């Protein structure tokens, strides 16, 4: 089962990375755009893209299989990760993790990754 959990965890990490590339929540909803003043102050390549100013948040998202190999955890280390996930004050929520429910597209991707991992074992 460890190989299957690792395959699904890798798929989860890919889905989070895709959300950052597309500036979308796990549900597929687009993130609220940056305020114009904030967008103007961004580095040239990042102009207009929320949550990628330094890339620290995006790079911190990791998946780790649990010791029992029956599941995995997705983590984001920076202290401000929760602020961006849920929003706070003037900062709008821009969810990048599938909390509290797993979207159907993620469920299908996980099932596919698990099936491929099982087939590779047979």
């Amino acid at each position: 089962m460890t190989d299957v959990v690792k395959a699904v965890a890798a798929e989860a990490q890919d889905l989070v990375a895709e959300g950052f590339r597309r500036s979308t929540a796990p549900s597929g909803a687009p993130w609220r755009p940056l305020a114009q003043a904030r967008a103007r102050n961004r580095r040239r390549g990042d102009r207009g893209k929320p949550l990628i100013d330094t890339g620290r948040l995006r790079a911190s998202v990791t998946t780790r299989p649990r010791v029992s190999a029956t599941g995995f955890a997705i983590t984001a280390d920076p202290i401000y990760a929760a602020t961006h996930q849920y929003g706070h004050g003037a900062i709008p929520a821009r969810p990048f993790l599938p909390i509290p429910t797993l979207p159907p597209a993620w469920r299908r991707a996980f099932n596919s990754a698990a099936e491929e991992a099982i087939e590779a074992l047979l």
Side-chain angles (χ1 to χ4, degrees):
M1 284 302 289
T2 302
D3 291 339
V4 175
V5 171
K6 285 181 180 179
V8 175
E11 183 66 27
Q13 199 153 355
D14 290 347
L15 289 167
V16 171
E18 182 67 19
F20 275 95
R21 277 190 296 278
R22 293 180 178 212
S23 297
T24 58
S27 66
W31 288 337
R32 185 168 159 195
L34 293 172
Q36 277 193 325
R38 180 79 176 125
R40 277 194 306 272
N41 291 329
R42 301 296 289 267
R43 292 185 309 241
R44 184 169 300 226
D46 295 342
R47 200 157 285 170
K49 302 270 295 181
L51 302 190
I52 60 169
D53 192 23
T54 65
R56 183 174 174 222
L57 177 60
R58 176 179 48 191
S60 79
V61 176
T62 59
T63 56
R64 295 183 185 94
R66 291 191 178 144
V67 175
S68 66
T70 59
F72 64 92
I74 302 174
T75 60
D77 295 333
I79 190 92
Y80 53 84
T83 299
H84 291 298
Q85 176 74 23
Y86 302 108
H88 180 63
I91 300 172
R94 293 184 177 107
F96 53 93
L97 298 175
I99 299 171
T101 59
L102 193 62
W106 282 51
R107 187 176 310 279
R108 288 189 298 274
F110 287 179
N111 286 339
S112 179
E115 288 171 4
E116 288 176 19
I118 291 169
E119 286 177 13
L121 293 172
L122 298 177

